[in-house]
Amino acid sequence: MSNYDLINVPDAAPIKAWVRGVPLEDEARTQLINAARMPFIHRHIAVMPDVHKGIGATVGSVIPTIGAIIPAAVGVDIGCGMCAVRTSLTASDLPESLRAVREAIERAVPHGRTENGGRGDRGAWHDLPPRATNLWKEHLADDYRVICAKYPKLDRGNSVNHLGTLGTGNHFIEVCLDEAGQVWFMLHSGSRGVGNRFGEFFISMARDDCRKAGVDLPDNDLAYFREGTEHFSDYTHAVGWAQNYARINRQVMLENVISAVAKAPGIKPFTTTVEAVNCHHNYVQQEQHFGASVWVTRKGAVRAGLGDLGIIPGSMGARSYIVRGKGNPESFSSCSHGAGRVMSRTKAKKLFTVADHAKATEGVECRKDADVIDETPMAYKDIDAVMAAQSDLVEIVHTLKQVVCVKG
């Protein structure tokens, strides 16, 4: 039996929402209804329990379309997602102080923006590692040149220097322990600045196209490209490239984290297992659902097809989960991408103190300063409630608790 609530409104596709026991804010509900009124929705919109207001479309929604794609529903953090791997280390193998491990990771993966308010960029490589250079040349360089040859303003020359870097905001790297005390490495990031540029550019282009065509939109951020048009083809090419960039970005970071921790003081030699996951949660791809070929946009949602492994992270200080999909057709084989925010970053900074944050992240080796208050656990939904609301979408394979957290 499915756990969703059905939302029906006039002149709109049905909305199936897995939100029992978790809040659904009024602004998010309005965005969902607006999206459901688009004429090309296939059957219904699926809403995940971490749903909250986004730009145009809600974060935590699955929007299936036929013959059109809404770029703002994919968003600007194209291909953002998670990556995790289990190691042979156990809790007893870790040193009592994990500060050296955190600092080793911070040195190995550029993150954040500026150092002490200066001009230096901690978020990009200054000397690009050979591994990133080779992957760029092998998998990304040719298509990037094609895209930027047509749209030169998309090329700022620094895209390769962000490959293997974390970024800012809610992006993170963690060392975690599972229910058996096994050590995992887990990280969250996407297509960095180049994905943001691509997203913003094509969202603006879609608005222009719809305006010129006289399309009446319930929200300008629901502007779309029609399949078969030149701009649709250009967008799917660019978004596919950015999603590939994001996957490789996570791969490079994970390799560097493994190498950095292996060299940290007090860490004995270890291996990693084949039980690794690398999954998007902001992306679009073509899939088969209910007998039709459909463009499925998952904005803050993970594919959870039958047997698919995925990652649902909690907030700093909360549990995270490695899950296996149940392939529920009503959710278009999807699940949530995390806990989901319950308040804006601005509100969190006003409401909580550094002392509140330090208490909430007790036992985690992480930053405990004013610059990460917006990411404090209290700014997010209860991950246990989120998991309970989607018990018909995924089964829990491993429960992880972080002991080290590096924030962007």
Side-chain angles (χ1 to χ4, degrees):
M1 180 178 293
S2 289
N3 293 336
Y4 63 80
D5 291 333
L6 184 62
I7 302 172
N8 279 315
V9 296
D11 304 317
I15 299 168
K16 298 184 178 182
W18 278 259
V19 293
R20 294 178 184 174
V22 292
L24 173 58
E25 59 187 328
D26 290 341
E27 290 176 312
R29 180 184 290 268
T30 298
Q31 285 189 325
L32 291 167
I33 292 170
N34 284 341
R37 286 186 168 137
M38 301 304 289
F40 39 73
I41 299 299
H42 177 57
R43 291 184 67 98
H44 61 269
I45 286 177
V47 182
M48 303 297 101
D50 57 343
V51 62
H52 56 280
K53 180 186 176 184
I55 298 175
T58 58
V59 179
S61 59
V62 182
I63 302 177
T65 57
I66 292 181
I69 293 177
I70 304 169
V74 180
V76 297
D77 200 355
I78 299 171
C80 188
M82 299 290 303
C83 189
V85 66
R86 188 171 63 176
T87 77
S88 61
L89 295 170
T90 64
S92 61
D93 295 323
L94 297 178
E96 184 174 346
S97 172
L98 292 169
R99 178 160 187 161
V101 172
R102 176 167 70 94
E103 291 175 343
I105 294 171
E106 290 173 341
R107 288 191 297 270
V109 180
H111 58 285
R113 286 196 177 93
T114 58
E115 188 76 60
N116 299 323
R119 298 178 63 185
D121 186 359
R122 291 187 290 130
W125 294 109
H126 296 295
D127 298 312
L128 194 66
R131 174 69 168 153
T133 300
N134 292 337
L135 287 170
W136 173 266
K137 291 178 179 177
E138 292 172 15
H139 301 287
L140 297 167
D142 290 345
D143 269 357
Y144 182 74
R145 282 193 291 268
V146 171
I147 294 165
C148 293
K150 186 165 187 178
Y151 301 108
K153 65 172 61 179
L154 293 177
D155 185 12
R156 294 186 186 171
N158 64 346
S159 300
V160 65
N161 294 85
H162 283 162
L163 192 63
T165 71
L166 186 62
T168 59
N170 62 353
H171 294 164
F172 63 80
I173 301 168
E174 291 183 342
V175 179
C176 304
L177 301 176
D178 68 15
E179 68 285 343
Q182 208 79 26
V183 175
W184 289 66
F185 303 140
M186 182 170 72
L187 58 87
H188 171 211
S189 191
S191 54
R192 302 290 281 108
V194 63
N196 183 279
R197 288 199 299 280
F198 282 18
E200 293 282 5
F201 179 81
F202 283 101
I203 289 170
S204 178
M205 179 183 284
R207 290 194 199 105
D208 289 343
D209 284 2
C210 285
R211 184 177 62 253
K212 291 174 183 176
V215 177
D216 186 21
L217 296 167
D219 183 328
N220 284 337
D221 283 318
L222 292 176
Y224 56 88
F225 295 124
R226 278 286 185 187
E227 193 163 4
T229 64
E230 179 184 8
H231 290 167
F232 181 97
S233 177
D234 291 345
Y235 177 68
T236 53
H237 184 197
V239 81
W241 181 91
Q243 288 167 189
N244 192 35
Y245 182 106
R247 179 185 58 78
I248 294 173
N249 184 42
R250 290 191 291 271
Q251 175 185 336
V252 173
M253 279 190 287
L254 188 62
E255 291 172 359
N256 290 341
V257 168
I258 292 169
S259 177
V261 175
K263 298 171 185 174
I267 300 295
K268 72 176 190 179
F270 64 88
T271 58
T272 57
T273 72
V274 294
E275 191 172 16
V277 189
N278 192 342
C279 57
H280 298 318
H281 55 226
N282 283 352
Y283 70 112
V284 61
Q285 68 180 17
Q286 207 161 20
E287 299 176 2
Q288 292 288 322
H289 291 280
F290 298 103
S293 179
V294 184
W295 290 100
V296 179
T297 298
R298 294 185 176 93
K299 183 170 185 174
V302 178
R303 178 171 171 81
L306 185 62
D308 286 347
L309 287 177
I311 307 170
I312 303 177
S315 60
M316 295 174 72
R319 286 183 290 275
S320 298
Y321 297 92
I322 306 296
V323 298
R324 183 178 291 114
K326 293 185 176 182
N328 190 323
E330 299 301 320
S331 72
F332 299 97
S333 295
S334 307
C335 67
S336 84
H337 82 311
R341 298 192 72 90
V342 291
M343 66 183 69
S344 69
R345 296 182 183 278
T346 301
K347 184 175 179 180
K349 288 181 177 180
K350 290 180 179 178
L351 197 58
F352 301 112
T353 66
V354 172
D356 294 330
H357 176 67
K359 183 177 180 180
T361 57
E362 189 174 358
V364 182
E365 174 57 46
C366 65
R367 288 174 55 195
K368 303 178 193 285
D369 56 63
D371 288 339
V372 293
I373 294 296
D374 57 334
E375 282 294 305
T376 198
M378 295 80 74
Y380 285 83
K381 295 181 182 181
D382 179 355
I383 187 64
D384 293 326
V386 167
M387 296 305 297
Q390 58 185 334
S391 60
D392 60 331
L393 306 184
V394 293
E395 62 176 323
I396 296 171
V397 180
H398 295 291
T399 302
L400 308 184
K401 181 67 176 71
Q402 70 271 71
V403 290
V404 174
C405 180
V406 172
K407 296 295 291 186

